[in-house]
Amino acid sequence: VMAFRILDNMGAEPEDIATIVTAIGNHDESTAFPVNAVAAALILADKTDVRYTRVRNQAFSNFDIHDRVNYSVKKSEVEVIKDSHIQLELTIETEMCTVMDYFEIFLNRMLLCRKASEKLGVPFQLVINGQRII
């Protein structure tokens, strides 16, 4: 509702408003689906966002699995190779978090990224610590 009102007040075209509002409404992890290219791009941007700077809690003793996983990701880069693929490359410090820990909380997000990438007509690749996983 908020995005609709902002875009409408800005004078955006109804077609553009519908595309953007639909994308926003279809990126929530529990109901996400890349219904259009904008939704696919939003899913990719949102679901690939994992990095140590997201951790606000600095007390290691209070870290939950999300904190451990995010904190352990020292490099996170999304690369779009035109007409080839979209790749998420992560460098994970495995002393704090295993690759399995990553997948425990991010598997559904990576599957969404694959669907979103396919909606854009290219495959999705995930590379962790130099090794291609997907």
Side-chain angles (χ1 to χ4, degrees), residues 4 12 26 37 43 45-46 49 61 64 67 74 86 90 92 94 100-101 108 112 116 122-123 125-126 130 132:
F4 173 83
N26 283 285
I43 288 168
D46 183 50
D49 187 21
S61 60
D64 64 10
D67 292 333
K74 299 306 178 192
I86 296 173
L90 303 174
I92 296 176
T94 56
M100 189 63 188
D101 288 337
N108 287 337
L112 282 170
V122 294
Q125 294 181 0
L126 173 63
R132 185 170 166 204

Side-chain angles (χ1 to χ4, degrees), residues 101-118:
D101 288 337
Y102 174 84
F103 278 107
E104 185 177 332
I105 63 171
F106 285 107
L107 178 61
N108 287 337
R109 294 175 193 182
M110 294 303 95
L111 294 173
L112 282 170
C113 286
R114 184 167 64 187
K115 287 178 187 174
S117 197
E118 289 169 358

Side-chain angles (χ1 to χ4, degrees), residues 66-85:
H66 291 86
D67 292 333
R68 282 196 329 273
V69 169
N70 277 299
Y71 192 80
S72 70
V73 177
K74 299 306 178 192
K75 175 185 165 195
S76 175
E77 292 182 357
V78 176
E79 188 173 10
V80 178
I81 311 299
K82 187 177 180 190
D83 299 324
S84 177
H85 65 279

Side-chain angles (χ1 to χ4, degrees), residues 5-70:
R5 288 197 176 138
I6 291 170
L7 292 166
D8 189 43
N9 288 336
M10 290 174 54
E13 294 295 321
E15 218 173 87
D16 294 336
I17 293 172
T19 299
I20 293 166
V21 170
T22 299
I24 293 168
N26 283 285
H27 94 284
D28 181 64
E29 199 166 326
S30 61
T31 59
F33 190 78
V35 294
N36 57 41
V38 174
L42 179 57
I43 288 168
L44 285 162
D46 183 50
K47 304 310 176 196
T48 59
D49 187 21
V50 55
R51 57 191 154 64
Y52 70 97
T53 55
R54 291 190 68 173
V55 179
R56 300 189 194 282
N57 173 14
Q58 293 302 308
F60 295 119
S61 60
N62 294 332
F63 274 16
D64 64 10
I65 189 168
H66 291 86
D67 292 333
R68 282 196 329 273
V69 169
N70 277 299

